[in-house]
Amino acid sequence: MSDLSKEQVNNDVLEDEGRRKFFGTTAVASLAGAGLVMGLSACKQSEDGVAGKAAGHLEGSSKFEVQPGKLDSYYSFSSAGHNGEMRIYGIPSGRTLKRIPVFNVDPMVGWGITNESKAIMGTNADGSLKYMTGDTHHVHGSYTDGTYNGKYLWTNDKLNNRLARIRMDRMECDAITDIPNVQGFHGIFPDKRDPVDANVNFTTRVFCGSEFASPKPNDGRDTSDPTKWFSLFTCVDAESMEVRWQVRINGNNDLVATSYDGKLAASNQYNTENGAVLADMMSVERDACVFFNIERIEAAIKAGKSFTIGNTKVPVVDGTIDANKDPKTALVCYVPVPKNPHGVNISPDGKYFVCSGKLSPTATVIETELVHKWFAGELKTERDAVVAEPEIGLGPLHTGFDGKGNAFTTLFLDSQIVKWNVDKAIAQFKGDKSAQPVLDRIDVHYQPGHGYTSMGETKEADGKFYNSGNKFSKDRFLPVGPLHVETEQLIDISGEKMQLIHDHTAYPEPHDAIIVRADLVKTKQVSDMNDYPNAVKSMSDNRIERKGKKVMVYMTSQAPNFGLSEIKVKHGDDVTITLTNHDKVEDLTHGFGIENYNVNFIVNPQETHSVSFKANKAGVFWIYCTHFCHALHLEMRMRFIVEA
Ligand code: CUK
Ligand code: CUA
Ligand code: CA
């Protein structure tokens, strides 16, 4: 807050003017540092004549207020960045509904602590977690007929290169797959139907892009010869979560999108140069948006035209430019787009992919049908698939759609969302000088990364809400130390002009999210005991069994009691405790914590979880219920006695 005057701070509400000044200085400083100054002005009157309006308080925004006791109409499923989890917000309220632990350890629910969650996360030979952290960027859901079917969500781990699946009936992670031989696993997108089988109109594959080239295999060879490093595009089976195949590419993969016909996966490439340092990555004017021909890739693998890398058994096909010169047999099509593009999104009608310029003030519109024509050998050059390239503003990144022909792109450098019309951009590209694609701009606070619309990644895009995920909040909330909270800004896009509804906070730092209509999500409120193979099914089954140094404890809980009043073991024993919650009432969860033993997890109604640990401290240690469950919650405790 140091740049703001005392007077401004003393006002109940800071004036917009002060914010602009504050924003301007810091933004220019940070961009100058990156060598990316491109004539930045924070609130510019653009050449298209559409001025960004100061997004203050929206008159009538209370119509979107979710009153106490009322429910939101949408779920937002969001990534969490380097926190490694997935989050659920209610829209339009912006209320945080749940944080789903995925790649991170979460003692509140016992993720990374119970044996069942450790088995999903992966362990070393000694039972310790293989990884304790991750970096989630993108969340996408499973599809039927081009819209969400409410079954699965997937998210990536850019840090440790894993794909995780969330089952939506419980909103819990049920599978994590290592993506072999890649680094910087960033973009993901599920397919929307099968490219060949007309009966399969639902998601069966998840596509994964990787940003960073690396030696293959990465075992110490070629460490000083980056020309030998390359990136892979990966396909994972949506049900088995096994890696199906990979494609060797030139350049890199950043974000991923899929066509509605199931035939294409697309990925933007900012490093076609294969540069290892920044200057090299920005050296050419055009990079690419790359299209994968799913049917041909799978046919090539069936025909055995693949190789493997090191000990990995996953078949890899050659998708490099040199190996794909003939469009009629090519597996991959590289469409040139300017410059260091970021983000690729498909319009809800399936007709157009939009890839943003990032270092070019343009968005490139690529027609799906023309990509198919290129693969059929009917297009002269890959670039001929481009049908529009409107100038929309500085630092364009991600695009959402309203289902009415309009696109909404985040402008990182301009700190704006720009609304533009796809058909008008195409007309302008064809030479119609009267066509003005840009329709509206709104300032956001500040510097948006992802922006996404309600149902915008489906054919049911409804044009109601747009959420801007901003990378800097600066003065927007009370300061909480050097790192500010992030801002998410909800915008009403139902009218001609965008209107800011409100800000809500997000713990740093989410990237992308999807906004899903609430009626498409059906969760179970009470689990089925039979879904847990190790359930202690009867209250009379409470017991302790010993085999040598191994002690197995089988227990139940039912408010306000644990099924045993003490567990007695010997110092050095290997203890496994299995706990089944026999309560059937919705939300009647018990916790299980052992004093000074670092054991902490919960059991929801009818669920079973277990923990294993060494009794390495002698003494009396209270076990208590950590989750408020009953008037006698405090009395819900028992003893863990370790004899010397
Ligand atoms: S990336 Cu973060 S703003 Cu990881 Cu989707 Cu574009
Ligand atoms: Cu059981 Cu608190
Ligand atoms: Ca580049």
Side-chain angles (χ1 to χ4, degrees):
M1 301 281 286
S2 55
D3 288 29
L4 295 167
S5 71
K6 254 207 186 109
E7 234 167 87
Q8 285 168 322
V9 175
N10 285 341
N11 282 343
D12 279 354
V13 178
L14 291 171
E15 294 305 320
D16 271 346
E17 191 45 33
R19 298 168 180 233
R20 286 290 112 58
K21 277 186 200 145
F22 178 66
F23 161 69
T25 51
T26 49
V28 170
S30 68
L31 290 166
L36 292 176
V37 177
M38 303 165 62
L40 170 94
S41 68
C43 184
K44 66 163 195 166
Q45 174 87 31
S46 305
E47 275 148 41
D48 49 54
V50 182
K53 56 184 164 288
H57 220 74
L58 166 68
E59 297 264 340
S61 67
S62 61
K63 79 172 172 183
F64 297 109
E65 188 181 337
V66 180
Q67 298 276 338
K70 294 279 190 272
L71 304 182
D72 280 296
S73 43
Y74 295 83
Y75 288 88
S76 169
F77 299 102
S78 171
S79 63
H82 36 49
N83 167 277
E85 64 187 16
M86 188 187 285
R87 298 181 186 146
I88 310 178
Y89 298 96
I91 299 289
S93 74
R95 294 167 180 163
T96 303
L97 303 181
K98 185 170 183 173
R99 298 166 53 168
I100 308 171
V102 180
F103 301 112
N104 57 318
V105 173
D106 185 344
M108 198 287 278
V109 296
W111 192 254
I113 292 168
T114 62
N115 293 326
E116 294 73 25
S117 62
K118 281 168 124 182
I120 292 168
M121 293 174 82
T123 53
N124 299 308
D126 68 352
S128 61
L129 285 175
K130 202 166 152 196
Y131 299 112
M132 294 176 69
T133 144
D135 184 20
T136 61
H137 283 230
H138 302 107
V139 175
H140 291 291
S142 53
Y143 288 81
T144 298
D145 269 335
T147 194
Y148 298 122
N149 60 18
K151 195 171 180 196
Y152 296 127
L153 299 163
W154 286 275
T155 191
N156 72 305
D157 171 16
K158 182 168 170 176
L159 185 70
N160 293 317
N161 302 298
R162 294 170 293 170
L163 177 71
R165 185 174 69 188
I166 309 305
R167 48 183 284 191
M168 290 178 76
D169 61 343
R170 307 177 46 80
M171 297 300 177
E172 286 169 6
C173 177
D174 78 334
I176 293 179
T177 296
D178 286 282
I179 311 293
N181 297 312
V182 304
Q183 288 185 31
F185 161 31
H186 191 203
I188 58 166
F189 219 102
D191 64 6
K192 301 187 180 94
R193 58 185 314 132
D194 192 84
V196 187
D197 189 341
N199 295 316
V200 181
N201 63 348
F202 51 87
T203 294
T204 60
R205 304 166 180 80
V206 184
F207 300 110
C208 310
S210 60
E211 264 185 74
F212 310 150
S214 60
K216 302 282 183 285
N218 192 24
D219 56 2
R221 74 186 69 192
D222 304 331
T223 53
S224 51
D225 186 2
T227 62
K228 294 214 169 107
W229 308 350
F230 60 89
S231 293
L232 295 165
F233 181 77
T234 303
C235 173
V236 177
D237 189 284
E239 275 307 322
S240 71
M241 286 292 281
E242 279 167 16
V243 179
R244 279 199 192 180
W245 45 258
Q246 294 183 300
V247 183
R248 178 186 178 162
I249 53 160
N250 287 111
N252 69 344
N253 289 142
D254 186 14
L255 283 293
V256 177
T258 59
S259 63
Y260 280 83
D261 60 15
K263 295 183 177 181
L264 298 172
S267 179
N268 66 292
Q269 305 192 300
Y270 62 80
N271 189 16
T272 49
E273 302 92 337
N274 244 340
V277 297
L278 184 62
D280 291 343
M281 294 185 215
M282 301 196 303
S283 62
V284 301
E285 282 311 306
R286 274 184 186 157
D287 288 289
C289 183
V290 55
F291 289 86
F292 297 89
N293 187 317
I294 306 308
E295 189 181 349
R296 284 190 193 167
I297 289 169
E298 298 200 338
I301 285 159
K302 238 187 185 167
K305 292 177 190 159
S306 60
F307 60 97
T308 55
I309 296 169
N311 300 324
T312 317
K313 294 201 174 66
V314 176
V316 184
V317 293
D318 190 349
T320 56
I321 294 167
D322 283 345
N324 291 273
K325 287 238 156 84
D326 178 5
K328 285 188 175 164
T329 56
L331 309 178
V332 181
C333 168
Y334 294 76
V335 177
V337 300
K339 167 178 188 177
N340 285 37
H342 189 63
V344 56
N345 299 88
I346 188 168
S347 59
D349 58 12
K351 284 186 180 166
Y352 306 108
F353 287 86
V354 173
C355 194
S356 295
K358 191 165 78 186
L359 299 189
S360 158
T362 54
T364 302
V365 182
I366 300 165
E367 191 174 332
T368 312
E369 203 42 51
L370 292 177
V371 176
H372 286 314
K373 282 202 165 150
W374 183 86
F375 278 117
E378 293 167 20
L379 230 57
K380 264 201 202 119
T381 70
E382 292 87 345
R383 181 70 192 169
D384 292 337
V386 172
V387 292
E389 207 153 72
E391 277 208 24
I392 54 173
L394 297 182
L397 297 182
H398 296 283
T399 300
F401 299 91
D402 63 0
K404 301 171 204 157
N406 301 310
F408 300 78
T409 304
T410 52
L411 300 174
F412 182 81
L413 300 185
D414 279 341
S415 259
Q416 288 182 333
I417 308 304
V418 55
K419 174 182 179 179
W420 54 282
N421 182 275
V422 178
D423 284 340
K424 284 190 175 143
I426 294 169
Q428 186 189 49
F429 195 72
K430 278 189 184 140
D432 179 351
K433 291 214 170 79
S434 70
Q436 279 295 342
V438 172
L439 304 177
D440 192 25
R441 295 175 186 278
I442 189 170
D443 288 348
V444 290
H445 310 84
Y446 301 94
Q447 297 186 286
H450 274 276
Y452 35 89
T453 56
S454 43
M455 297 297 288
E457 307 266 20
T458 75
K459 67 176 189 191
E460 296 186 314
D462 58 22
K464 288 194 178 145
F465 296 112
Y466 178 94
N467 193 82
S468 175
N470 305 321
K471 295 299 186 193
F472 300 89
S473 70
K474 302 187 187 293
D475 57 351
R476 207 65 184 173
F477 300 105
L478 287 175
V480 287
L483 176 63
H484 291 262
V485 73
E486 310 297 355
T487 34
E488 304 275 321
Q489 290 189 295
L490 191 69
I491 294 167
D492 174 9
I493 55 164
S494 61
E496 250 175 64
K497 297 275 164 196
M498 293 177 275
Q499 301 255 45
L500 179 69
I501 297 170
H502 63 62
D503 295 9
H504 62 273
T505 58
Y507 184 65
E509 61 140 358
H511 286 244
D512 195 12
I514 54 173
I515 302 177
V516 179
R517 245 177 29 237
D519 66 281
L520 295 172
V521 178
K522 303 253 182 319
T523 61
K524 274 188 195 165
Q525 296 315 122
V526 177
S527 299
D528 182 345
M529 197 179 283
N530 295 315
D531 288 346
Y532 296 81
N534 56 345
V536 183
K537 286 200 174 161
S538 162
M539 306 279 278
S540 58
D541 272 353
N542 280 284
R543 66 195 190 278
I544 301 172
E545 289 174 4
R546 171 183 287 278
K547 278 183 199 134
K549 286 185 89 60
K550 275 197 174 2
V551 180
M552 314 292 285
V553 181
Y554 301 94
M555 275 181 57
T556 60
S557 62
Q558 192 169 52
N561 287 297
F562 288 119
L564 296 170
S565 56
E566 67 172 40
I567 298 167
K568 207 180 262 180
V569 302
K570 293 196 176 65
H571 185 255
D573 281 345
D574 291 311
V575 181
T576 295
I577 298 171
T578 304
L579 175 62
T580 299
N581 183 2
H582 279 244
D583 277 306
K584 284 187 178 140
V585 180
E586 190 173 319
D587 213 14
L588 215 170
T589 293
H590 298 290
F592 186 91
I594 309 179
E595 294 279 340
N596 296 114
Y597 260 93
N598 206 33
V599 169
N600 193 4
F601 65 97
I602 59 165
V603 274
N604 298 311
Q606 302 288 299
E607 286 179 9
T608 300
H609 293 299
S610 68
V611 285
S612 296
F613 61 96
K614 203 171 215 42
N616 56 8
K617 280 173 283 208
V620 174
F621 304 91
W622 283 98
I623 294 173
Y624 70 99
C625 176
T626 55
H627 200 93
F628 209 105
C629 55
H630 189 274
L632 292 171
H633 157 74
L634 289 173
E635 287 81 352
M636 188 169 174
R637 54 190 168 112
M638 57 185 281
R639 286 142 300 163
F640 180 55
I641 297 170
V642 183
E643 294 174 330

